[in-house]
Amino acid sequence: MQYTYPVRSGQKKGPTIQGEFGLEVTVKSAAPILNIYSPTHTVDVQRPNDREAKVTYTQRHTTLEKDFQLFYSVSDKEVGLDLVTYRPDAKEPGFFMLLVAPKSTLQAQRIIERDVVFVIDVSGSMAGEKIKQARNALKYLVEKLNDTDRFNIVQFSSYADSWQKGLVSAKDRRADALKYADTLIAQGGTDIAGALDTALQSLPREGERPSYIVFMTDGKPTMGETTDPRRILAKVDAARSAKGGESLRLFTWGVGYDVDTYLLDAMASQAGGVSEYVRPEEDIAVKVAAFANKAAQPVLTGLDLKVVGDKVQLVNMHPHKFPDLYAGSQLVLFGRYTGEGDVAFQLAGRVQGKTETFTYEGKFAAAEPKHAFIEILWAQRRIGHLLDQVRMHGETKELVDDVIRLSKEYGIQTPYTSQLILEGQQQLGAGEPRGRNAATGGGRFDALAEKKLAEFAAKPATAPAPAEARLHADVAKADPARREAEDRDRSLAEGFKQKDGKAGVEAAMALRSLKETDKAGERGPTTSKKAAGTKFYLYREMWVDERFEATAATTVVKFGGEAYFKLIEKEPKLVEALKMGTELIFVTAPGKALVIGATGEEKLTDAQIEELFKAAVKK
């Protein structure tokens, strides 16, 4: 089910808010509410019980430029799975989103028993405030263990030292572990390989429980295996390949800027976990607490998804490797599909060493013009995945070409295309030739088309008055979500090839954000967008359909006039394009184009509208 709250004013942007803006949505249902997701806004979800949810959004200093969208589903199943598709062109593969969430009371009925090893760096560089924070973080992690969990602690510096010879009961030894945490002292070098070996030795070779290693360090290897990180990664691969190793999850924590982000990212990625980083000015315990609260109660581990039959094939799904499903969490997956029709899904996962399978029904549309946000979010995650492969395995022509192609197609900044995407908007996408309309030397459109565009752009603008424009710019700059997104893109571009230092850490954090993004419209500036089954380029504040040619017969319509709204009524497919702004050019049929601007026709007859969408007669 989908709910939309219109924040924008008609087809215009909504007002600029200098103070605080908030929305609150309460969802009540006779059946349990499972998935709740907003592709447009970062929301907080509170669930008093299975059949009620309160969704809130608050933001200061923002421009209301997009409507609030909310997807939710109800089901009596223990784990809910919902499919949403987008396929603007029936001849091309479609895009899909899957939402997976457990019933909120499921964890109270069964708690998965885990084996956990905490690995704590106590080298000399951890002296002072960092070792105090590490002790507090370790205490919090131990306190969050379930009574049925088993655990151990490994401290390491020039060598690794295990607290116990093997795993012990959390219920019986929690108090002892908390006392042990207070004895940690910072001194010596950094033997990451030795610490990893010791942690793996603590875990059973063929255990049926999911095994977690939480690995915290503030430095690069200086003792033991230091010359070739691939040897450390080989240890992770060997552990994962061993019998029962598929249940191993490795979560790495880099503290400060003197860490090897390539190594920590690869360790986590290869073992189905994630890498986190803590800046020098941040408190380790705060980030560790957020992780511990999320990962404390796994519901299903070792997830596997497949579509029954051969009517539909799923490709390029991201995340590429499924994480475990935790109580109170939700997985949001994006991918592409070929084929069409009604299908059955099977979601399998392990609980207490046994595999459970859930079956669902869904329909992959042959054509679906709604939910365009799925395509851009898929593209962002796809680019994040490809960049991750480059960092871990090195550059190849195939990987880099794919990144550049997607970046140009979707207007997404990457380390390989940041200059192209950020170039001045007065030039219409100067870069590679676009095709039959491209001039030699390559603009998006040929010289005649650009001349005609310049004439349209020279007409009176619908831009706000100077004072209002300045206010809008100041507020947009202050918008936390937009500002953070632009900072992440910049960090990724500047530090992508840096393994360590501030630039390397910031780039690693930005890359993870790109790989996990699930909100549309919160990344940096773009000069291209997809809408209404075509692509638009920004030219002097006007969005121009990439199919536009100078020879097209144009019908100019005034924004907001009677003809404008009549077009929307007669041709609903225009709505998605018109949402982009108050000035645009849309190709309605071969040889014809609709121009929306500050001036133009205010009335059109039904016959004129019908003619506008018929192909021009060739002379």
Side-chain angles (χ1 to χ4, degrees):
M1 284 173 271
Q2 179 182 353
Y3 170 75
T4 299
Y5 183 82
V7 174
R8 295 151 54 102
S9 176
Q11 303 306 318
K12 295 182 178 181
K13 289 181 180 179
T16 293
I17 304 298
Q18 298 183 62
E20 183 172 273
F21 173 79
L23 285 171
E24 181 177 298
V25 180
T26 299
V27 183
K28 295 183 179 181
S29 171
I33 302 168
L34 297 183
N35 287 299
I36 297 181
Y37 167 68
S38 171
T40 55
H41 296 74
T42 301
V43 298
D44 177 66
V45 180
Q46 299 293 326
R47 297 173 180 262
N49 54 66
D50 265 352
R51 291 167 169 76
E52 182 179 352
K54 182 177 290 186
V55 182
T56 56
Y57 166 78
T58 58
Q59 186 64 274
R60 293 182 60 83
H61 305 303
T62 187
T63 299
L64 306 183
E65 57 185 359
K66 53 189 175 182
D67 292 341
F68 176 81
Q69 286 184 286
L70 186 71
F71 290 82
Y72 66 95
S73 64
V74 297
S75 174
D76 288 317
K77 290 181 179 290
E78 291 185 337
V79 178
L81 183 147
D82 294 280
L83 169 69
V84 185
T85 62
Y86 173 63
R87 196 171 194 171
D89 187 345
K91 297 178 181 179
E92 296 292 330
F95 301 85
F96 70 90
M97 174 181 70
L98 286 174
L99 304 174
V100 183
K103 187 186 299 184
S104 61
T105 57
L106 182 60
Q107 188 58 31
Q109 302 165 12
R110 59 180 184 187
I111 296 177
I112 294 181
E113 300 171 351
R114 304 174 299 165
D115 291 336
V116 187
V117 179
F118 303 112
V119 183
I120 309 297
D121 187 344
V122 293
S123 59
S125 57
M126 287 287 290
E129 188 63 28
K130 282 195 286 188
I131 194 65
K132 295 179 183 178
Q133 291 185 6
R135 292 184 196 128
N136 291 334
L138 176 58
K139 288 180 180 179
Y140 191 89
L141 289 167
V142 170
E143 288 173 341
K144 291 296 292 185
L145 289 169
N146 302 312
D147 286 347
T148 55
D149 292 339
R150 299 182 303 191
F151 76 109
N152 199 356
I153 301 170
V154 174
Q155 62 166 306
F156 75 98
S157 52
S158 300
Y159 61 91
D161 182 26
S162 180
W163 172 52
Q164 300 294 320
K165 291 184 178 180
L167 299 171
V168 297
S169 165
K171 181 179 180 180
D172 297 337
R173 302 299 302 274
R174 182 180 282 109
D176 295 335
L178 295 175
K179 293 178 182 178
Y180 175 75
D182 286 327
T183 69
L184 299 181
I185 299 175
Q187 57 185 357
T190 307
D191 184 4
I192 288 180
L196 181 60
D197 282 337
T198 303
L200 291 171
Q201 290 168 6
S202 294
L203 297 170
R205 295 293 181 182
E206 300 179 7
E208 293 186 342
R209 295 166 170 244
S211 300
Y212 292 174
I213 295 177
V214 181
F215 199 108
M216 186 182 302
T217 180
D218 79 328
K220 294 169 285 190
T222 60
M223 307 289 292
E225 182 54 65
T226 63
T227 59
D228 191 351
R230 289 177 295 183
R231 297 182 182 178
I232 297 177
L233 297 177
K235 297 176 185 292
V236 179
D237 279 340
R240 287 276 289 174
S241 301
K243 186 176 180 180
E246 67 276 1
S247 68
L248 175 64
R249 299 287 182 266
L250 179 55
F251 300 89
T252 59
W253 291 79
V255 182
Y257 293 140
D258 191 27
V259 293
D260 186 337
T261 62
Y262 282 23
L263 174 61
L264 297 183
D265 287 351
M267 287 172 63
S269 178
Q270 290 183 198
V274 294
S275 51
E276 291 274 8
Y277 294 92
V278 184
R279 299 180 180 91
E281 67 274 14
E282 295 178 321
D283 189 339
I284 302 172
V286 173
K287 286 196 169 183
V288 167
F291 160 78
N293 291 337
K294 172 186 174 182
Q297 299 180 325
V299 174
L300 285 176
T301 63
L303 295 183
D304 180 63
L305 178 73
K306 67 179 181 179
V307 176
V308 179
D310 57 4
K311 292 171 65 176
V312 171
Q313 292 75 44
L314 308 184
V315 295
N316 294 335
M317 185 182 291
H318 299 291
H320 186 61
K321 296 178 181 178
F322 287 10
D324 294 337
L325 183 62
Y326 301 97
S329 69
Q330 178 173 259
L331 301 184
V332 185
L333 307 105
F334 297 94
R336 303 204 69 176
Y337 70 92
T338 58
E340 61 184 82
D342 296 317
V343 300
F345 289 99
Q346 286 186 348
L347 177 69
R350 294 180 64 80
V351 180
Q352 310 297 23
K354 298 180 180 180
T355 299
E356 290 193 11
T357 301
F358 303 88
T359 302
Y360 310 87
E361 294 180 351
K363 182 176 182 178
F364 285 89
E368 173 54 76
K370 296 184 295 184
H371 313 131
F373 69 88
I374 296 175
E375 182 177 3
I376 186 64
L377 290 176
W378 170 84
Q380 290 174 351
R381 287 202 183 184
R382 178 68 180 166
I383 288 174
H385 168 74
L386 293 171
L387 291 175
D388 201 34
Q389 296 302 301
V390 171
R391 276 171 60 92
M392 288 195 295
H393 305 298
E395 289 184 349
T396 66
K397 185 178 185 303
E398 182 180 17
L399 285 173
V400 173
D401 286 352
D402 212 6
V403 169
I404 292 174
R405 177 184 62 80
L406 289 169
S407 176
K408 290 179 178 178
E409 182 175 356
Y410 291 96
I412 299 170
Q413 293 184 50
T414 74
Y416 297 99
T417 56
S418 57
Q419 289 301 114
L420 171 68
I421 303 302
L422 290 173
E423 66 191 359
Q425 292 183 353
Q426 295 301 317
Q427 298 178 349
L428 190 59
E432 85 290 353
R434 194 197 63 81
R436 69 177 187 276
N437 291 337
T440 303
R444 299 287 182 187
F445 301 86
D446 62 27
L448 288 176
E450 292 214 26
K451 182 179 179 180
K452 195 166 185 178
L453 288 172
E455 293 174 0
F456 286 125
K459 293 183 178 181
T462 57
E468 183 183 348
R470 287 195 300 271
L471 174 61
H472 174 78
D474 291 343
V475 173
K477 185 176 180 181
D479 187 316
R482 182 63 57 82
R483 187 177 65 252
E484 289 174 12
E486 292 179 4
D487 288 345
R488 287 194 297 266
D489 289 340
R490 189 178 303 107
S491 296
L492 184 56
E494 294 175 352
F496 181 68
K497 295 186 177 182
Q498 303 296 319
K499 288 187 176 182
D500 55 13
K502 181 177 181 179
V505 170
E506 294 293 343
M509 296 172 70
L511 181 55
R512 180 183 172 188
S513 173
L514 185 61
K515 291 190 298 181
E516 297 179 356
T517 185
D518 63 0
K519 296 291 179 290
E522 288 191 353
R523 303 209 68 80
T526 178
T527 57
S528 65
K529 288 183 179 181
K530 281 195 170 185
T534 188
K535 188 174 183 180
F536 293 83
Y537 291 100
L538 189 61
Y539 180 82
R540 300 183 185 179
E541 300 185 359
M542 174 184 289
W543 289 103
V544 184
D545 192 324
E546 68 170 348
R547 301 168 297 173
F548 177 71
E549 295 177 326
T551 56
T554 57
T555 299
V556 184
V557 172
K558 182 179 179 180
F559 172 81
E562 181 181 325
Y564 177 88
F565 290 106
K566 191 171 184 178
L567 279 165
I568 294 174
E569 179 184 352
K570 295 291 185 181
E571 298 290 338
K573 67 180 181 181
L574 278 175
V575 173
E576 186 181 340
L578 296 178
K579 283 183 177 180
M580 297 176 62
T582 59
E583 298 181 53
L584 71 121
I585 297 178
F586 178 71
V587 174
T588 56
K592 295 184 179 180
L594 170 67
V595 180
I596 302 295
T599 60
E601 299 291 339
E602 296 192 45
K603 292 185 178 182
L604 290 176
T605 66
D606 291 348
Q608 287 176 313
I609 292 175
E610 184 178 347
E611 184 65 26
L612 179 59
F613 287 85
K614 288 182 180 179
V617 178
K618 294 183 179 180
K619 297 181 180 180

